[in-house]
Amino acid sequence: GQLHLPPAGQAWRLGSARRKMELSGGEVTLATWSHAGFGAKQAKLRADKKIEYVSCNGDACEKLCFTPLPTDGGRTFKPSAALVLRLITQPAACAFLPLAGLLCFIVFVPTVPGDALAALLDSPFASGAQLCVWAWRLLLAAHCLEAALATAVLLSPPLSAPLSAVLAWAPLVLVVGFPVTSRVLKLRSAEVRAKRRA
C-alpha cells in the first residue's frame, strides 16, 4: 500500500490541535492546586497525560500523580469549587475576612456596639468613625486596583485566559485581595517558566 500524507496545511492544523490538547504550565498549576492544594510542588504533565507533583508532610516527601478533570480548571483558567474553597481558607484570607467584615459592620450598620468599637479608635485628628470610613475607602481602592491587575494578567499573554475566567477570578480578588492576586501572579509565572522550557 501507498503511504498517504496529509497536505502541509492540514498537517500543521493537526499538530496545532495536538498542542492545544496538552495542558500548559499555568493550567497544570491550576489543576494541581485544585486537586492537591497550594503545598504541592514541582507539578508537571507526564506523557500519559497525568499530572505528577511532590507532596511533603514535614521532612517526608513523596511523588504523587492524578488525572486532571475538566472541573479542575485546566484549559479555561477558571477556579474550580475546590480551589475557591482553598483560596478563601488560606491563613491570610482567614485573618483578613473577619477584620474586613468588622470594618463593614462599623461603617455601614449604625449600632451602639459598632459606635463603641469605632470610639476606641478616636484620635485628636479624627473620630474613630471617620478613620473607619477612610480605612474602608482605602481597602476598596486597593482591592479594585488588584482586580484590575489580575484582569490584565489573565487576559494578556502568556495566559490569554477567556473572559469567563476573569469573571470568576475578579470577585474573589475584590473580596479577599492579595492572597488571591498572588495566586494569579503565580499562574503567570508558571506559564512563563513552561514556555521557556519548551
Side-chain angles (χ1 to χ4, degrees), residues 3-193:
L3 179 65
H4 295 287
L5 295 173
Q10 188 178 344
W12 180 85
R13 283 194 298 274
L14 287 171
S16 179
R18 241 180 245 115
R19 281 192 297 276
K20 283 181 184 172
M21 290 297 290
E22 291 188 8
L23 294 175
S24 70
E27 292 164 338
V28 167
T29 301
L30 191 64
T32 305
W33 287 345
S34 282
H35 181 84
F38 301 124
K41 297 176 176 59
Q42 301 171 17
K44 62 181 179 182
L45 188 66
R46 300 192 323 195
D48 61 0
K49 306 297 183 203
K50 290 186 177 182
I51 294 176
E52 180 181 278
Y53 64 96
V54 175
S55 177
C56 295
N57 188 2
D59 291 337
C61 295
E62 61 179 327
K63 280 189 178 179
L64 300 171
C65 68
F66 68 97
T67 302
L69 303 171
T71 52
D72 283 337
R75 294 199 207 295
T76 63
F77 286 109
K78 284 170 67 175
S80 65
L83 182 55
V84 169
L85 187 60
R86 290 183 200 281
L87 287 167
I88 62 175
T89 56
Q90 293 178 85
C94 288
F96 167 77
L97 289 173
L99 290 173
L102 181 63
L103 189 60
C104 285
F105 174 74
I106 292 170
V107 171
F108 294 111
V109 183
T111 60
V112 173
D115 293 342
L117 286 170
L120 294 173
L121 302 173
D122 281 348
S123 75
F125 307 105
S127 70
Q130 288 173 319
L131 291 174
C132 287
V133 168
W134 279 106
W136 170 252
R137 289 176 180 166
L138 186 64
L139 187 66
L140 185 61
H143 282 210
C144 287
L145 285 172
E146 285 186 51
L149 171 66
T151 298
V153 167
L154 286 164
L155 289 176
S156 61
L159 292 178
S160 301
L163 186 59
S164 59
V166 174
L167 295 175
W169 282 97
L172 287 169
V173 174
L174 282 170
V175 171
V176 181
F178 188 73
V180 177
T181 308
S182 64
R183 297 295 167 185
V184 173
L185 296 175
K186 285 179 182 175
L187 276 181
R188 185 186 184 283
S189 297
E191 192 79 1
V192 168
R193 280 195 308 272

